[in-house]
């Protein structure tokens, strides 16, 4: 029996093994690479270098989501009963309601899903590999463990690699770890216990090379990579049903029980009273029709769709209708730092000059910016030391500005060097022009051990200037002089150097990356050494907060939403960004860094004090993807409705687990966008605030129209039930009830559902996640208002018989009384704090349009012969109209009086 040769695999913890050992384990020579036969064998074993793609919601799933609700099931059952008793018109009308509701919801969500699919990246990624001792470019999905990959600045890495050669190599790992600064990479092995963000010998799939070049051997591909492990967490993270879905489901179940109970009770009482079986069942059917709010699915769907369209106009793309409302009930907003609160790019913030002055830099919207000192704008060309500092920063540099001011892609190269170029360019110092003026003679490349670099430039026929930048702790000790206000040299002694080091430490404590700038004049024939330098100043850079973030956080806090930063970045950086954005008060000790606390590798294992500290922390640094998942679960178990924002691969599992995940559309990775329920097309946190306000308005509108619909239906139930139990004539017939539920209910309710909402909603605290859509106080209001309408209808029926109207005319009068009373009833849906005339109802143009349409349809029901015949309606005459109109106003007066009394008891 022939045994298949074992496929070589990378050793565990490849970052802690020497590169020779990793290459040996993978059975590959660096200079030769793999041969085609071995590549084929390994691909057969490991599979293609692909991640599992999230399957988008198909048409069938979207359709099922529209019909899978208790209210829809109840309506379908009512239609079935109607057809069983040959009440085809009732059955057909109910089926029409279901078709309209399903079509609206299906169409809106399908359009959103297609928009999300359009965001997915379509281009194929390639990689440069060495195979059979020659370099070739192959599709990235064909990489296998053991491939030797070559890369340089600008390349996106497409597999997990162990570094085997590195030249000034830096990688942007922010999408994976949340670390905003590029990470230096080297061949030397790391310690076994080194955490992923600190590993220098490893490169990871999905990250980008920002500087230098190198080679690496593939150690993991596809789902075996770190990116694949995070994708697996996304798959394991269970999506949560939205609060609105849960509330509507609970309400639907209650309506099912209520409808069946009422129908059975009235049918039994009717039989007990001696009525025929068919008549008793017809009465029960009429009550079932009255109890079911046929308009609820349509109005809820359209209200959510309207909110979805409004959000889309505000650059917030929502894939699922019910998620629109979820933001309105959010009580905790978890935000990532890099790319969400910050720009995810470095920018010059502060320049401490050797002439003892400090200048701040405020970048503009393009490649401009302002230099400010003591609150006043300064012109760099008139400030000799500032001008020299910016010239040194531009000359001692290897980056390039792409497009001279393209903010979308500001430059190529190390982000820190790009930031220095942008600041110099804003001052009018273009590197290309400077090099024409001062040609570069030589470069002393950045050394990771000495942490400094220098370039030599000819400034005259005999004179050369050295431009030096580097870490303050390595540059300051070799400075013997500093540059004075007029450009003259001053002595820099040991105590002065110590003061500058303290200054650098103080700048670093504010989250800045600090570089020292120095210069030296020498003759062209003179050899350059890193000594006898003249200090020009310190320059501080940081990943700046995004514009509008502070205002967005303030608005969230005013709305009672607790904002928490959860990042994989260092605690000091996170704390400073939190202070700069107003997330926390700048008090020492606010940073909670559980990842660095070795006793807490998992949030799930925390004791009660640590758990309490975690749940109350405003900043959580160095968090892993799994810890973010655990944090969200803990908050949800604590009763919070959690929204999560993010843009990186490391955010994707948490985006799916949250009640609503919000991904960034411009900077966001494909994995993050697919895991989220909402995508911000402008990447602005302020868009979330607008979405929260829209979500709150939607919920308030849904609650208004639910109270409106149910109080209308209760009035029908009470009117028919009382008449049936009293063995009197029915005030309404089944088709008349269905007509009212589809006309006088739906259109005013729809107008309520699309109202703009009150700005005061953003000053209220979030709703309790357990608060039902219809609370006890709302049920009392429903039965109170519904009872007043029912009494008016029964009163109109009695009075109609008293003035000699026929049975058909009397039923028509009670029908008209109910129809008009339900129309006027919409004015009782205003907030109790609003005025009786000028309020959100009277100022809603859709309300007046709905009233006009309904009045026209009611008139058609009376005077258009075909419809009047179907509904069994007779002309009530002039006195009948007057009676119906007079009786219909009584419930409106009762509703306004109730609102006035409530406002007196609780004015706020």
């Amino acid at each position: 029996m022939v045994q298949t040769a074992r496929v070589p695999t990378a050793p565990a913890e490849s970052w802690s093994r020497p590169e020779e050992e990793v290459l040996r384990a993978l059975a590959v020579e660096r200079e030769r690479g793999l041969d085609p036969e071995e590549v084929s064998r390994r691909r057969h074993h490991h599979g293609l270098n692909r991640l599992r793609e999230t399957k988008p919601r198909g048409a069938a799933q979207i359709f099922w989501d529209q019909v899978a609700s208790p209210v829809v099931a109840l309506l379908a059952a009512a239609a079935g009963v109607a057809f069983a008793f040959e009440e085809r018109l009732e059955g057909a009308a109910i089926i029409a309601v279901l078709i309209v509701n399903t079509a609206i919801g299906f169409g809106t969500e399908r359009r959103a899903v297609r928009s999300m699919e359009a965001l997915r990246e379509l281009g194929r990624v390639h990689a440069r590999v060495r195979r059979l001792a020659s370099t070739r470019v192959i599709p990235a999905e064909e990489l296998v463990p053991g491939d030797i990959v070559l890369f340089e600045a600008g390349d996106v890495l497409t597999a997990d690699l162990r570094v085997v050669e590195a030249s000034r190599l830096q990688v942007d790992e922010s999408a994976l770890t949340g670390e905003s600064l590029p990470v230096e990479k080297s061949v030397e092995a790391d310690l076994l216990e080194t955490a992923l963000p600190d590993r220098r010998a490893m490169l990871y799939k999905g990250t980008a090379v920002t500087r230098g070049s190198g080679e690496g051997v593939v150690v993991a591909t596809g789902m075996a990579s770190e990116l694949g492990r995070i994708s697996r967490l996304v798959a394991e993270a269970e999506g949560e049903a939205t609060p609105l879905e849960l509330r509507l489901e609970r309400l639907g179940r209650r309506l099912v029980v209520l409808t069946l109970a009422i129908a059975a009770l009235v049918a039994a009482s009717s039989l007990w009273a001696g009525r025929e079986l068919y008549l008793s069942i017809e009465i029960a059917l009429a009550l079932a029709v009255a109890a079911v709010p046929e308009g609820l699915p349509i109005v809820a769907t359209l209200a959510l769709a309207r909110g979805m369209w409004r959000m889309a106009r505000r650059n917030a793309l929502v894939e699922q209708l019910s998620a629109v409302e979820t933001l309105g009930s959010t009580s905790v907003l978890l935000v990532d730092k890099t790319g969400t609160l910050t720009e995810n790019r470095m920018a010059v913030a502060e320049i401490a000059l050797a002439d003892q002055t400090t200048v701040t830099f405020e970048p503009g919207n393009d490649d401009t910016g302002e230099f400010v000192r003591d609150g006043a704008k300064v012109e760099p060309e008139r400030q000799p030391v500032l001008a020299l500092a910016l010239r040194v920063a531009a000359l001692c540099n290897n980056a390039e500005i792409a497009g001279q001011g393209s903010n979308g892609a500001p430059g190529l190269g190390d982000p820190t060097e790009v930031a220095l170029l942008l600041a110099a360019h804003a001052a009018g110092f273009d590197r290309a022009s400077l090099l024409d003026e001062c040609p570069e003679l030589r470069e002393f490349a950045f050394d990771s051990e000495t942490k400094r670099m220098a370039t030599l430039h000819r400034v005259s026929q005999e004179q050369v200037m050295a431009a030096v930048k580097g870490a303050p702790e390595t540059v300051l000790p070799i400075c013997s002089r500093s540059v004075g206000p007029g450009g003259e040299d001053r002595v820099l002694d040991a105590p002065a150097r110590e003061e500058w080091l303290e200054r650098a430490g103080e700048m670093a404590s504010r989250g800045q990356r600090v570089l020292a700038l120095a210069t030296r004049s020498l003759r062209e024939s003179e050899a350059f050494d890193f000594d006898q330098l003249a200090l020009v100043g310190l320059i501080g850079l940081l990943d700046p907060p995004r514009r509008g973030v502070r205002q967005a956080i303030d608005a969230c806090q005013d709305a009672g939403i607790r904002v928490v930063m959860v990042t994989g970045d260092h605690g000091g950086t996170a704390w400073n960004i939190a202070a700069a954005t107003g997330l926390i008060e700048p008090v020492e000790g606010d940073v909670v860094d559980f990842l660095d606390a070795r006793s807490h590798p998992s949030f799930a294992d925390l004791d009660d004090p640590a758990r309490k500290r975690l749940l109350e922390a405003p900043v959580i640094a160095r968090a892993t993807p799994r810890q973010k998942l655990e944090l969200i679960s803990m908050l949800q178990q604590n009763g919070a409705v959690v929204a999560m924002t993010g843009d990186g691969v490391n955010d994707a599992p948490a985006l799916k687990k949250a009640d609503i995940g919000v991904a960034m559309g411009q900077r966001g990775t494909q994995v993050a966008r697919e895991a989220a329920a909402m995508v911000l097309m402008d990447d602005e946190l302020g868009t979330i605030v607008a979405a929260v306000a829209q979500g709150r308005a939607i919920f308030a509108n849904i609650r208004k129209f639910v109270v409106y619909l149910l109080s209308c239906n209760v009035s029908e139930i009470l009117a028919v039930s009382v008449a049936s139990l009293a063995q009197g004539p029915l005030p309404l017939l089944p088709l008349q009830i269905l007509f009212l539920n589809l006309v006088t209910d739906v259109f005013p309710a729809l107008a309520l559902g699309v109202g703009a909402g009150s700005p005061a909603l953003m000053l209220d605290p979030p709703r309790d996640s357990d608060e039902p859509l219809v609370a006890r106080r709302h049920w009392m209001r429903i039965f109170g208002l519904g009872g007043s309408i029912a009494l008016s209808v029964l009163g109109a029926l009695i009075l109609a018989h008293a003035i000699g109207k026929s049975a058909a005319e009397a039923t028509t009068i009670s029908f008209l009384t109910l129809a008009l009373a339900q129309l006027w009833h919409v004015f009782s849906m205003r907030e109790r704090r609003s005025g009786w005339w000028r309020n959100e109802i009277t100022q809603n143009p859709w309300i007046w349009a709905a009233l006009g349409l309904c009045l026209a349809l009611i008139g058609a029901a009376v005077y258009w012969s075909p419809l009047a015949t179907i509904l069994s309606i007779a002309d009530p005459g002039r006195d009948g109209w007057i009676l119906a109109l007079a009786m219909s106003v009584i419930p409106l007066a009762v509703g306004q009086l109730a609102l006035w009394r409530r406002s007196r008891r609780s004015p706020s």
Side-chain angles (χ1 to χ4, degrees), residues 337 341-342 542-545 565 572-583:
K337 179 189 73 69
L341 296 180
T342 68
L542 49 73
D543 183 5
M565 182 199 297
T573 304
W575 186 88
N576 282 286
I577 291 297
T581 57
L583 185 59

Side-chain angles (χ1 to χ4, degrees), residues 132-147:
L132 287 178
S134 65
T135 302
R136 61 191 67 183
V137 177
I138 64 170
E141 64 182 17
E142 296 181 7
L143 286 174
V144 297
D147 262 326

Side-chain angles (χ1 to χ4, degrees), residues 482-493:
S482 65
V483 180
E488 73 282 2
D489 284 350
R490 293 181 172 181
V491 175
L492 188 69
D493 55 18

Side-chain angles (χ1 to χ4, degrees), residues 170-325:
Q170 290 187 345
V171 177
D172 179 3
E173 295 183 339
S174 60
L176 186 67
T177 67
E179 169 65 65
S180 56
L181 288 173
V183 180
E184 292 183 13
K185 298 294 182 176
S186 64
V187 176
E188 289 74 21
D190 298 300
L191 297 176
L192 179 62
E193 62 271 16
T194 305
L196 187 148
D198 300 319
R199 294 171 190 166
R200 298 295 180 257
M202 289 293 295
L203 302 171
Y204 293 103
K205 181 180 177 72
T207 60
V209 180
T210 61
R211 181 178 183 176
S213 60
E215 297 180 11
V217 59
V218 176
V219 296
T221 59
M223 295 301 292
S225 66
E226 284 296 329
L227 183 56
R229 293 190 181 97
I230 294 177
S231 297
R232 192 174 293 112
L233 285 180
V234 176
E236 293 171 357
E238 297 180 1
E240 299 292 319
T242 67
L244 181 62
E245 289 174 326
L246 298 175
R247 290 182 174 104
L248 287 175
E249 185 178 349
R250 285 197 295 264
L251 178 61
R253 286 199 298 264
R254 291 180 180 179
L255 289 176
V256 170
V257 174
L258 180 64
T259 299
L260 295 176
I262 291 175
L265 176 64
V266 173
S269 64
S270 180
L271 287 171
W272 178 77
R275 285 194 170 115
E276 297 179 0
L277 175 62
Y278 177 76
L279 182 58
S280 299
I281 292 177
E282 185 178 27
I283 295 172
L285 179 60
L287 282 174
V289 172
V292 178
E294 290 88 351
L296 178 58
I298 291 179
V299 178
T301 300
L302 283 177
L304 290 171
R306 175 78 171 173
M308 189 183 236
W309 298 332
R310 282 176 174 164
M311 287 186 180
R313 288 201 299 268
R314 291 295 304 269
N315 292 313
L317 179 61
V318 183
E319 183 175 3
Q320 199 166 359
L321 284 179
S322 54
V324 174
E325 181 274 339

Side-chain angles (χ1 to χ4, degrees), residues 20 24 35 88 141 151-152 167 193 207 231 243 279 315 338 340 442 490 555 594 618 658 743 778 800 808 821 834 838:
E20 297 90 351
R24 193 163 48 249
D35 59 54
R88 294 183 179 85
E141 64 182 17
F151 44 82
E152 59 187 11
S167 173
E193 62 271 16
T207 60
S231 297
L279 182 58
N315 292 313
T338 306
T340 302
R442 184 179 177 184
R490 293 181 172 181
F594 278 88
V743 176
H778 301 113
S834 60
R838 291 183 61 83

Side-chain angles (χ1 to χ4, degrees), residues 669-691:
T669 59
Q670 178 181 345
V671 176
R673 291 197 301 263
E674 290 185 349
M678 186 170 87
V679 175
L680 302 183
M681 302 307 296
D682 58 2
D683 287 9
E684 294 293 340
L685 194 64
T687 303
I688 296 182
V689 177

Side-chain angles (χ1 to χ4, degrees), residues 772-908:
L773 185 62
V774 183
R776 181 180 178 184
R777 66 183 185 278
H778 301 113
W779 282 113
M780 294 176 62
R781 191 178 179 203
I782 287 167
F783 278 96
L785 295 172
S788 68
I789 296 175
L791 289 175
S792 294
V793 171
L794 293 173
L797 181 65
I798 294 171
L799 290 174
H801 281 290
I803 62 176
K805 294 292 184 179
S806 66
E809 291 173 339
T811 301
T812 298
I813 290 172
S814 60
F815 164 80
L816 291 175
T817 301
L818 179 60
L820 295 173
Q822 289 181 347
L823 292 183
W824 316 146
H825 179 49
V826 74
F827 295 108
S828 297
M829 294 298 103
R830 66 177 175 86
E831 295 288 340
R832 67 178 183 274
R833 293 171 290 188
S834 60
W836 70 273
W837 176 245
R838 291 183 61 83
N839 52 62
E840 72 276 11
I841 304 297
T842 59
Q843 293 179 319
N844 183 350
W846 295 105
I847 292 290
W848 297 105
L851 293 180
L853 177 60
C854 289
L855 288 172
L857 291 172
I858 291 170
V862 176
Y863 295 112
W864 188 41
S865 181
L867 184 56
T869 302
I870 293 173
L871 297 177
S872 302
I873 288 178
D875 186 351
R878 182 178 179 183
D879 54 347
W881 274 102
I882 293 174
L883 175 59
L885 183 60
M887 296 300 291
S888 70
V889 175
I890 296 175
L892 174 61
V894 172
Q896 296 300 311
L897 180 62
L899 285 170
W900 177 76
R901 292 189 62 185
R902 286 176 60 206
S903 66
R904 291 289 298 271
R905 289 198 307 267
S906 179
S908 62

Side-chain angles (χ1 to χ4, degrees), residues 519-541:
T519 185
R520 178 182 168 187
S521 294
L522 62 157
R523 293 175 181 170
E524 189 170 353
S525 58
E526 187 178 349
F528 171 75
D529 289 322
F530 281 97
D531 62 1
Q532 302 297 313
L533 302 182
L535 177 67
V536 181
L538 302 176
I539 190 163
L541 306 96

